[in-house]
Amino acid sequence: MAGVEETCASLRAQISATEAHLAGLKRDLANAEKVAQSTRPTNDEQDEGHKKTEYRWPLLQEEYRRYGRQMIVSQIGLEGQLKLRSARVLLVGAGGLGCPAAQYLAGAGIGTIGMIDGDTVESSNLHRQVLHRTKNVGKFKVDSAIESLRELNPHPTYIPHRTHLNPEEAPAIFNQYDYILDCTDNPATRYLISDTAVLTGKTLVSASALRTEGQLMVLNNPPRPPGDPEGGPCYRCVFPKPPPADSVTSCADGGILGPVVGTMGVLQALETIKVITTFRPAVSQSAGSTSKAESPSLLIFSAYSNPQFRSIRLRARRANCAVCSSSATVSLDSIMSGSTDYVFFCGSATVPSLLGPNERISPEKYRQRYPVSTNVDKSIMIDVRDKAQFGICNLENSINIPITNILASRSKPAISDANRTELPTWVPTELASSESMDPIYVVCRLGNDSQIAVQKLKELGLDHDGKRYIGDIQGGFRAWREQVDPEWPEY
């Protein structure tokens, strides 16, 4: 029964999205008909033998009014505005970066804006993903975003791609656009986007944000074929090796301050406008041209630093880059066939189970073993979330020891004499006492950090050679909310 209801809900969402897309196409048609009407000669002009077939001015009167404030900026002008109107821009991701970037690109008058994202709007998105509204929770993000963009500016053509970017379809999608914006948050997709952008000849504006910090780069600018040293570096040139899979933190795990990701998204829009409106010599002119491309750089933003911005100059294309060098090994065929495996290259994001079944306990079984109403059996609960999360909600009498403190200690305890072990300063008395045999349970948000902490506590000898139980709460506080306390705050 649940499966049928889910199918019905999915079909309703698709119908709603299709209707919204159809309404957008009708608006685009109405705009096109206005342009056609303005370029059509009158009967009097025909009678007088006038051959005028074009509207006198290249923009509609409403467009002059709408974009006038930016057109009088010397770097834009009418020529720049016409370049913006003819540009086709794809944003990969309709979240914290994609929303502000799309908002300003639409406001600037980009002719065609595509958005690709397979996620739906959640209430946890709304503090930073500024195109979405509470009423659109459950709706595809691309449909929710385009709905807001059309209200802002009906002139551009908006194209939704209701799917996650995958290697098989990426080249065909990228070929429909002139410029690409990477608004994603995972390494595997970043490498896929960069590789495809280079091989399809597209400039890429890439940004990232986490907690209170962000980064921005303009890559493959100017876009040149692999092996051409005049082309800008790609993502692989800057990061030849991906970070370890277990070190990658998402916004859901690490947190994000809304204005931080908003700042980076706005900067993406700015850099895109600059790339579109700045003159670049054609590929055939590059050898003899004296025009020099702007040096590539990595812009780093830190909200709580002074100064907040700093820039690091990037090197040119790497001579041994797997994508943009003369000895490239990655091709469109290898991407589309799957022989270039991005998940394997970046490592699995799935955290393996580090503990055995006897070292783990479900929240439900833990509560059955240690009811709130009795203190017959005692246990020690260690919460390894950071201080901020612990302050949001915590279990009574639990002890907060952030996982960062635990990982910062030595892997093995130092023995100072035959009877005494030196323990890190973060170890509380309840754990350090050689007389206490109360079992120790470790809990975290999702049940991943808690496993690492259990291993660490055992390495420090706090299990007294296996005589004292140390285990974790399987699934962390997410499972605790599902199995024990439905009122536990979900954040």
Side-chain angles (χ1 to χ4, degrees), residues 206-271:
S206 176
S208 62
L210 182 66
R211 299 188 179 98
T212 62
E213 300 179 343
Q215 295 183 351
L216 175 74
M217 296 179 291
V218 180
L219 302 169
N220 197 38
N221 183 44
R224 297 288 185 265
D228 188 337
E230 295 298 319
C234 70
Y235 194 79
R236 285 183 188 262
C237 293
V238 183
F239 302 109
K241 295 182 179 179
D246 57 2
S247 70
V248 177
T249 304
S250 67
C251 292
D253 294 331
I256 182 68
L257 194 60
V260 171
V261 70
T263 297
M264 304 317 297
V266 170
L267 288 173
Q268 277 187 286
L270 174 60
E271 291 302 315

Side-chain angles (χ1 to χ4, degrees), residues 358-375:
N358 60 331
E359 297 174 291
R360 315 199 73 185
I361 187 173
S362 69
E364 184 179 17
K365 289 185 177 179
Y366 173 85
R367 181 49 75 209
Q368 292 173 355
R369 185 176 298 177
Y370 302 100
V372 178
S373 59
T374 178
N375 291 320

Side-chain angles (χ1 to χ4, degrees), residues 55-374:
Y55 177 58
R56 183 179 179 186
W57 306 106
L59 296 176
L60 298 175
Q61 285 296 326
E62 202 279 329
E63 289 179 296
Y64 281 104
R65 288 190 293 269
R66 180 180 289 265
Y67 308 126
R69 296 298 187 273
Q70 73 184 27
M71 288 169 60
I72 61 177
V73 175
S74 60
Q75 289 88 343
I76 303 297
L78 176 60
E79 182 181 0
Q81 191 62 50
L82 293 174
K83 288 180 179 179
L84 294 174
R85 191 171 72 165
S86 63
R88 300 175 63 86
V89 177
L90 173 68
L91 296 93
V92 185
L97 292 167
C99 283
Q103 201 165 25
Y104 276 93
L105 291 175
I110 295 296
T112 301
I113 297 176
M115 301 189 79
I116 178 169
D117 198 315
D119 289 339
T120 55
V121 179
E122 299 177 1
S123 58
S124 62
N125 303 147
L126 300 178
H127 86 283
R128 66 191 185 280
Q129 300 180 14
V130 292
L131 286 178
H132 307 311
R133 301 292 181 263
T134 301
K135 67 177 183 179
N136 285 342
V137 169
K139 199 172 188 178
F140 275 111
K141 284 186 177 181
V142 291
D143 294 327
S144 172
I146 289 175
E147 177 183 312
S148 296
L149 294 175
R150 283 201 175 101
E151 292 178 357
L152 171 67
N153 189 353
H155 291 285
T157 298
Y158 301 102
I159 303 176
H161 300 271
R162 303 175 190 90
T163 180
H164 294 293
L165 187 69
N166 61 70
E168 294 79 11
E169 299 176 349
I173 293 175
F174 279 30
N175 278 326
Q176 301 175 39
Y177 300 90
D178 307 314
Y179 307 91
I180 311 298
L181 274 69
D182 181 353
C183 306
T184 62
D185 62 357
N186 71 86
T189 306
R190 288 189 179 281
Y191 283 100
L192 168 62
I193 292 171
S194 176
D195 293 353
T196 308
V198 170
L199 296 172
T200 55
K202 316 296 180 182
T203 293
L204 170 64
V205 182
S206 176
S208 62
L210 182 66
R211 299 188 179 98
T212 62
E213 300 179 343
Q215 295 183 351
L216 175 74
M217 296 179 291
V218 180
L219 302 169
N220 197 38
N221 183 44
R224 297 288 185 265
D228 188 337
E230 295 298 319
C234 70
Y235 194 79
R236 285 183 188 262
C237 293
V238 183
F239 302 109
K241 295 182 179 179
D246 57 2
S247 70
V248 177
T249 304
S250 67
C251 292
D253 294 331
I256 182 68
L257 194 60
V260 171
V261 70
T263 297
M264 304 317 297
V266 170
L267 288 173
Q268 277 187 286
L270 174 60
E271 291 302 315
T272 304
I273 291 172
K274 287 168 59 180
V275 170
I276 294 172
T277 58
T278 300
F279 170 74
R280 297 279 185 205
V283 176
S284 58
Q285 300 173 331
S286 61
S289 175
T290 58
S291 177
K292 188 176 181 180
E294 183 179 344
S295 298
S297 62
L298 170 63
L299 181 67
I300 299 176
F301 172 70
S302 181
Y304 286 86
S305 295
N306 188 16
Q308 292 179 318
F309 290 94
R310 58 193 179 95
S311 181
I312 300 174
R313 180 168 294 184
L314 299 177
R315 295 180 178 178
R317 286 182 167 182
R318 285 180 176 267
N320 61 346
C321 178
V323 179
C324 63
S325 70
S326 57
S327 57
T329 57
V330 177
S331 66
L332 288 178
D333 288 339
S334 71
I335 292 175
M336 297 176 67
S337 66
S339 58
T340 300
D341 191 330
Y342 292 94
V343 175
F344 177 79
F345 176 66
C346 295
S348 175
T350 304
V351 178
S353 180
L354 304 176
L355 304 178
N358 60 331
E359 297 174 291
R360 315 199 73 185
I361 187 173
S362 69
E364 184 179 17
K365 289 185 177 179
Y366 173 85
R367 181 49 75 209
Q368 292 173 355
R369 185 176 298 177
Y370 302 100
V372 178
S373 59
T374 178

Side-chain angles (χ1 to χ4, degrees), residues 5-76:
E5 292 177 350
E6 290 179 359
T7 301
C8 292
S10 175
L11 291 172
R12 292 190 194 98
Q14 292 180 49
I15 291 172
S16 177
T18 303
E19 290 175 344
H21 182 49
L22 178 60
L25 292 175
K26 290 180 178 178
R27 281 190 289 268
D28 294 339
L29 175 61
N31 290 331
E33 289 175 340
K34 285 182 181 178
V35 175
Q37 182 67 32
S38 64
T39 60
R40 188 177 298 121
T42 63
N43 291 333
D44 291 340
E45 290 172 335
Q46 291 175 348
D47 293 342
E48 294 173 5
H50 289 172
K51 301 295 183 180
K52 183 167 57 176
T53 58
E54 293 184 357
Y55 177 58
R56 183 179 179 186
W57 306 106
L59 296 176
L60 298 175
Q61 285 296 326
E62 202 279 329
E63 289 179 296
Y64 281 104
R65 288 190 293 269
R66 180 180 289 265
Y67 308 126
R69 296 298 187 273
Q70 73 184 27
M71 288 169 60
I72 61 177
V73 175
S74 60
Q75 289 88 343
I76 303 297

